[in-house]
Every structure is written in C-alpha cells, then in structure tokens.
C-alpha cells in the first residue's frame, strides 16, 4: 500500500493524471468507500477536464460523508466548468454552511467563503470587461515585435511580425511516443473520437516560438495531454484500437498576426485566447475570441482559435462552422482546412475530412503531419489502398514515427499482407519500445491470424512495460476464450476490469465465460452490469442487446441444470420470437413486452443447488473423453484465423459418439423382424388414438423431436428421422458456446417467412477477410462458370439480367476479379450454384448464392450467402428425408 501511495504521489507531481487515475481505480476497486481516494480521483479528473466524472466522484464521497468539505469545493468547480454556475453556488453555499457549523478545517472554510464571494462578485460585475478580469492568466506572456522562431530549427528566423506566445503552457503536458493527443469526450453523442490541434499558423505556415531563449529537449517536444477518449468513461487507455477513433496531434499553438491590420490591443487579446486554449481553459478562450470577433467578425486567426477551443470541448459542429468561416475569409488558410478536416474526421465524416486534408496539402505540400493524418482518416474510411499510399510516403520521410508504422501495419494486415504488416509493427516497436499501441496492434494481428504462442509472447512484453495495461489482459482473455479455456479467460478479464472497470467488451465476455462453465450467478451479475452501463457507440449497444438475451438464456439453462441433457430442448422451450430477435441482434423492447421472461435465478434454482461438478474421471470416462477429443479435432479448419478450441473439440466428439450410439441402437432394433411388427402395431394404435381425439406424440419426421424422460424408449419405439439425428449435434453445439445463437431456422417466429440467411464474406470493400479469402479464387471461378453456363444473373431485386452478348461472355472468360465481373454486369448481382435432387429425378434446386455488391470507392462485397426461406426449407427437408431413407435402406 505504501508503495502505491508513493507511486501516486510521483504521478501527480509529474502531472501524469491519467495514470494516477488508473492507479486510483485499482485502489478504489479494493476500497470503494475510501472518501479521500474518491476526492483524489476527482482532483485528477479535474485536471483532465472530465468534469462530469468529478461531479460523480464527489457525489459518491458526499453520500459516504456529507461533511467532506473538499468534495464541495471540487464539485462546485466542476459545475462551474460545465457552465452550471447557479448549481455551483448552491453546492459551495451548502459546504460553507457545514463548515461554519463545524470549523475543524479553517482552510477549507476560507476557501469556500472565497468561492461563494467570487461568484457573487462576478454576478455584479459581469456587464464590465469580464473577459480580461474574470480569469487572469497565471502564465507569463512575452510579446516579440519582430522575431519568430521556426520550431523545426534551433536558429531563430527573423520575420516582420508581431508575435505573442505563452511561456509555460507545456508545463503540465506529457508527450506520447508518437505525438498523438487523446482528448476528453464532453459529448456522449460523439463516439470515441479524438480531436487535436497543431500550432496555429498564418498563410506562410510560420510558427511562433514557445520562448525565444534556449530550449531544452522537453520544450522542443510536442505538448500532449493524455486524456481519456472513451465516452468520458475512464482514464486514458494507451491502446488505439477502438473502432471509431481518429488520433491527431496537439501541440502548443501560437499565431502570427499581421501588424498592418491589427492593433497591439487586439494582438494581446488574441494571445490571451491562445494561452487559455493551451492551458485547457476553453470557456475563457471562447469568451476572448467572441469579443475579438464582435469587433472583427471575419478575423481568420480568431475564428481558427475559437474553432479549436470548440473542438477540444467536443462541440464539433461549432468548430466546423468557425473553420468554414475562416476559409471563407481566407481561402488560402491551410491551417483552417486542416483543422476542419480533423473535426470532420472526429464526427465520422471521413469523405469530407479527406477532401479538406487534401486541400490543406495543396497549401502545405511538404507537411508530413497532414499526410500522416490523411492516411489515418483513409484507414478509418476503409479506403485502405489510399491509406497505404499516404502512410508509405510518410514513413519514407519520417522513418522513426512509430504511430505511422503501426497504422501502416494495420493497413497492410487488412489488405492481406500479413508478413509486411508484422514487419511494420516491429519497426514501430524498434523506434519506441514503450509505445503500447504498437504492441497492442501487433498482438491483434497475431490474434486475427490465430498464432497463440506469438500473441502470448507479445502481450507478456506489453505487460512488462505497463502492468496496468488493460488491453493486454483483454486480448489474452479473448485468446483463452477462443481456445476453449474459459476459466483462464475469466482470470485475465477480471484483471483487465480492475484497471478499466467500465469496459463493456470485457464484462460481456466474462459473463459468457461464467455462463459456459455453469457459474450462473456470476454470469447474470456481469450481464446486469453490461445492461446498466451508459453507452456511447452502436457497437456497444449491440453488446448490450445481446446481454439481455444471454441473461435470459443463462436463467433458462440454470433452471435445467440438474436435469439430464436429454430432458430439455432449447428449440421447443424458448419462444420463437425471442430466438428470432436473439439471432438478428435486434432491440429487445418488443421481446420484453410480448415474450415470457425467465424467473430470477433464485427461482430458477428452486429445485436445489447445482450438482457439484466432479472432475475426477473413471478409466472408462477418460477413455471416452480421449476418443471424443480425437474425433473432435477433425472439425478444425486448416487455415488462418481459427484457433484450436479444446472445448469445441470435445463437444463435437461427444456429439459424434452419441449420434453413433443412438443410430446404431435404432438400426439394430429395426433389423429384427419382430421389432418391425411391434413398431407397426404401435403406430396403428397411435393413429387410432389420434382419430378418437386422444393424445398424439409430437415427434414426427417434419420437425425436431420433443424430449422425453427416456430418450432410449423414444428411439426404440419410433424410427429416427434425419432431424432427430442432427438435433443431437445441435444440442451439443448449443451448450458448447453460449455466446453463439444456434437454433433450427424452421422454428423461428413468423418473421422467418420474410427470409433469414447467412453471410460469409471473402472480400469486404478492399479488406481481405483472413478466414475466408483463401476461397476467393475458387469461388470466383465457380461464379464465372455459372454465368457462362446460364448466360444470365439476378440483380438485387431478383430480376434476371441476360448476358447473351458475345463480347460480354468473352470478357467473363478472362475476368480476373469480382470487380471485373461487376463492371461487365453493371450492377449488384448474384448467381446460385445448383444441386441435383435425390427426391425428384431431373429436378435441380438452388444451392448457395455468390454475390457481388458495389460498396463505392472502398470496393466490393464478394460473399457467399445462403438464404433460408420457408419454401427453401420445405424443398431441402424433402431432400434430406429422401437421402436419409435411402441411406438407411442400403444398410
């Protein structure tokens, strides 16, 4: 504990607030009622301007101790920063009244008295020049009339300008390995995007100095604030693999002002605004820029400055508006184009962002950072070929930029260049071994390729660099889960959650692991935690929807846990509408209103405690399990992307053995003439009972069997259907991995009538899907042969497009890509393989579909799709029945 306190003190003294927060997270995970640590964390959050988190921690502390004066101070300041001054005043007054009654801390009493008084003074003097007086800059300001120092050179460059710069704005900043900046998310409508700014420049691109005298190495570095970008959710994570983030640079910025057009007073106010932005006082900066713009509405530098402040506050629409006005005022202001591109990228407007960054490059063709940023935006836009071009050009100019190398590695990986991708990540690590993003991206590459040994080695090195790197434990948990080692996965995910407690991905995966091994109480608790989280992206919302369905399934399985495996059936017991929505990952609102909900866990387990699992096996059981493992391994795909899953091996092997046992027993029974005679008489009795209105078994050839307490008796009384055989494997697959919805499609809801299908993509835009792209050439040739044979394809509306033109047919013969085929057809299309019928001679059925869909500039979706409709089900049910009966007869 003492070592942790010493580390906390060191982190705070070095202004490393994000790591201090992570350390406090782990302390509070062990001691959640520590009011002083709650205040400590609130204090750290305040330095990162995560004001809502400050309020939240202070509220928790005040619930535990209503007389904690420091919490009132911090909460009031946070509310003020959130522009809730009246609420702040009420909080400070409440704290002051408590302090007056119990003056054990005179310092806090005087501070609260001063805060209350300052608010009252501000209210009476707001009509005066409040911008200059309300929040005086505690940073030393230097005005230089004729000298600007180029940041890229140690020698000063003389220019006929007047420059105002802030001396100490870097003081509380920290430089990351690649100069990237992570900003606080003050707007939950914007997903985990990061916005940043680089030095404000005039049309010549000259930068102002931080300080004309000699500079040390730290002052030459880019000033970066390490700030959380996950929905204002937790301290900064060093990984940058969130699915919707743009990481751009922030440096201390100053601006060069033309002395011919602006007065010294205007220059000074502009410099004050710039200084306020540099110090993170965005509201004060905006007030200063507002005053300047009231006097000079089209002043580009002020518009860029205010837009930058808005961007840091996550008010991206306002930022874009100001940058647009700056461009209208001065179309050659490359800095305005660049910043508008950054803001648009943060909003997910990637196409427009690329256009702006391209325009910025026209004014600054030698700007490495713009090229770097455009490469990253191209990657996010999924234009991987353009990203490859930009990033490859950039790393030739700046070979030691780890961020560029790791993004280039990500791009190459998506394009299927896995060896080159690995090399780029390793180069990034070579230049900065402590850059955790590189380690995380390299680990993700090994996970995608299913290289477990390399992955574990990579993660071990990342943890050696930072033992609190939550992403490393998360990735290790994903690996163990994918290998069927659920208990090991739970340990890793639990560690990750101690450092990143609000990670919905970790919580959901840990819940499913508990679910899989029968720890239903822990599973349901984690599912509930997922449902209670505040979300900031659609991807996370999908996980929350799945958590609802998974919780219901966990409750259902818990209620059956003490029954024999053959005594319950998910397909028969679970409502069809529930299964439909579960498979399609739809919002559960409709299901919650119309479908019977599972009872709470205590009721689900009312029949008694779960039987204790016995992991000591007899000799015969061991022999059986070894045989199952050996058989199950044969289901493993021999290609990249598929991890060896021991749990799936065993379940598949046990399913195969059970099928063999049941089928063998049924066939031995049917080979005995006496048994056949008994079977006929039994069926006659059932028919008579049905005709008289009596009970009739629901186990038929047209549906999956209804379970009974004695499955052997059912098999010995009724011959096996193909569905009964397949249902054995289906049941084993349902319990092997609870995360995967596995159900009979003909037992879904009435919505099944509109169709339900699978999608196996080989090419997604320009991305080569690691698991399935190896089939690309084979499927392409199959599609060409079908087109040449049938001389037509079907479009998206299922209308035929005829290909009788000889020139088109010749082009199809020599086509080498799905792009070539698309341009021959001229629109999105599909072709279907053909299956010869066994039930009706000469009849041909539609097999699977091969589709090519245009995705615009980013390429094509080339995939195998298998539609499932009622009519198709009936056709294939007839085929499977005929095939099964033919097989049985030949034995």
């Amino acid at each position: 504990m003492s070592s942790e306190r010493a580390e906390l003190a060191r982190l705070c003294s070095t202004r490393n607030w994000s790591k201090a927060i992570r350390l406090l997270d782990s302390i509070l995970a062990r001691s959640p009622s520590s009011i002083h640590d709650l205040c400590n964390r609130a204090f750290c959050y305040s330095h990162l301007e995560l004001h809502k988190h400050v309020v939240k921690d202070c509220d928790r502390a005040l619930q535990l101790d209503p007389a904690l004066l420091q919490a009132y101070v911090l909460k009031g300041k946070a509310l003020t920063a959130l522009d809730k001054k009246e609420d702040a005043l009420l909080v400070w007054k409440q704290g002051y009244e408590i302090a007056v009654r119990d003056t054990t801390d005179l310092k806090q009493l005087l501070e609260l008295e001063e805060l209350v008084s300052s608010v009252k003074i501000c209210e009476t003097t707001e009509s005066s020049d409040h911008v200059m007086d309300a929040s005086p800059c505690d940073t030393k300001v230097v005005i230089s009339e004729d000298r600007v120092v180029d940041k890229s050179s140690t020698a000063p460059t003389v220019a006929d300008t007047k420059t105002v710069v802030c001396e100490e704005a870097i003081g509380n900043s920290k430089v990351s390995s690649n100069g990237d900046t992570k900003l606080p998310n003050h707007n939950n409508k914007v997903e985990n995007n990061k916005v940043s700014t680089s030095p404000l420049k005039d049309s010549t691109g000259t930068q102002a100095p931080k300080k004309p005298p000699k500079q040390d190495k730290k002052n030459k570095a880019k000033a970066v604030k390490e700030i959380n970008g996950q929905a204002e959710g937790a301290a900064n994570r060093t990984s940058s693999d969130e699915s919707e983030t743009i990481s751009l640079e922030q440096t201390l910025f100053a601006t060069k002002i033309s002395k011919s057009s602006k007065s010294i007073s205007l220059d000074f106010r502009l410099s004050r605004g710039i200084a306020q932005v540099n110090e993170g006082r965005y509201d004060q900066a905006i007030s200063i820029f507002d005053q300047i713009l009231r006097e000079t509405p089209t002043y580009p530098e002020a518009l860029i400055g205010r837009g930058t402040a808005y961007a840091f506050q996550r008010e991206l629409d306002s930022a874009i508006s100001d940058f647009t006005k700056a461009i209208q005022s001065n179309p050659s202001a490359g800095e305005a184009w660049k910043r508008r591109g950054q803001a648009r990228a943060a909003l997910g407007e990637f196409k427009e962002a690329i256009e702006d960054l391209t325009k910025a490059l026209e004014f600054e063709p030698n700007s490495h950072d713009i090229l770097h940023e455009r490469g990253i935006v191209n990657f996010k836009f999924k234009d991987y070929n353009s990203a490859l071009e930009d990033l490859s050009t950039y790393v030739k100019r700046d070979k030691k930029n780890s961020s560029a190398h790791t993004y280039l590695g990500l791009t190459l990986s998506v394009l299927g260049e896995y060896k080159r991708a690995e090399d780029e990540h390793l180069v990034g690590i070579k230049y900065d071994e402590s850059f955790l993003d590189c380690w995380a991206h390299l680990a993700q590459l090994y996970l995608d390729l299913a290289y477990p040994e390399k992955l574990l080695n990579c993660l071990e090195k990342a943890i050696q660099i930072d033992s609190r790197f939550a992403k490393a434990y998360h990735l290790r948990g994903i690996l163990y889960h994918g290998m069927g080692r659920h208990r090991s996965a739970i340990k890793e995910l639990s560690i990750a959650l101690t450092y990143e407690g609000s990670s919905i991905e970790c919580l959901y995966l840990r819940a499913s692991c508990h679910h899989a091994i029968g720890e239903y109480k822990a599973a349901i608790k984690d599912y509930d935690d997922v449902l209670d989280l505040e979300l900031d992206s659609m991807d996370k919302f999908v996980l929350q929807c799945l958590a609802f369905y998974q919780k219901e399934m966990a409750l259902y399985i818990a209620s059956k846990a003490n029954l024999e495996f053959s005594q319950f059936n998910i397909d028969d017991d679970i409502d069809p509408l529930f299964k439909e929505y579960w498979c399609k990952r739809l919002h559960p609102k409709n299901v919650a209103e119309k479908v019977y909900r599972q009872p709470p866990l205590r009721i689900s387990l009312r029949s008694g405690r779960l039987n204790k699992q016995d992991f000591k096996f007899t000799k015969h059981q061991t022999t059986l399990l070894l045989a199952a493992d050996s058989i199950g391994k044969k289901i493993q795909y021999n290609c990249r992307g598929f991890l060896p899953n021991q749990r799936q091996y065993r379940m598949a092997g046990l399913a195969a053995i059970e099928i063999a046992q049941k089928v063998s027993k049924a066939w031995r029974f049917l080979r005995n003439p006496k048994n056949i005679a008994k079977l006929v008489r039994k069926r006659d009795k059932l028919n008579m009972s049905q005709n008289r209105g009596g009970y009739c078994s629901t186990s038929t050839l047209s549906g999956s069997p209804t379970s009974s307490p004695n499955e052997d008796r059912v098999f010995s009384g009724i011959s096996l259907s193909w569905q009964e055989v397949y249902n054995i494997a289906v049941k084993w697959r349902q319990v092997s991995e609870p995360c995967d919805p596995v159900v009979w499609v003909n037992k879904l809801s009435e919505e099944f009538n509109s169709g339900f299908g699978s999608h196996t993509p080989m090419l997604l835009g320009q991305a080569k899907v690691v698991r399935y792209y190896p089939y690309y050439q084979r499927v392409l040739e199959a599609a060409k042969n079908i087109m040449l044979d049938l001389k037509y394809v079907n479009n998206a509306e299922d209308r035929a497009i005829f290909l009788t033109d000889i020139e088109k047919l010749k082009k199809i013969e020599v086509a080498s890509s799905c792009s070539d085929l698309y341009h021959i057809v001229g629109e999105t299309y599909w072709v279907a393989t053909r299956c010869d019928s066994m039930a009706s001679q000469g009849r041909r059925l539609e097999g699977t579909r091969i589709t090519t869909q245009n995705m615009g500039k980013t390429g094509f979706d080339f995939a195998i799709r298998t539609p499932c409709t009622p009519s198709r089900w009936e056709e294939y049910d007839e085929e499977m029945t005929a095939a099964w009966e033919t097989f049985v007869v030949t034995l």
Side-chain angles (χ1 to χ4, degrees), residues 306-320:
R306 188 173 68 178
T308 301
Y310 280 137
F312 277 108
Q313 288 188 320
R314 311 301 298 173
E315 296 179 24
L316 297 173
D317 290 327
S318 298
I320 290 171

Side-chain angles (χ1 to χ4, degrees), residues 457-480:
N457 182 53
C458 181
L459 294 177
E460 187 60 37
K461 290 179 179 178
I463 291 170
Q464 287 175 4
I465 295 169
D466 184 355
S467 61
R468 293 184 174 86
F469 185 35
K471 186 64 179 178
Y473 299 105
H474 182 198
L475 286 171
R476 201 149 64 180
I478 294 173
L479 172 67
Y480 288 144

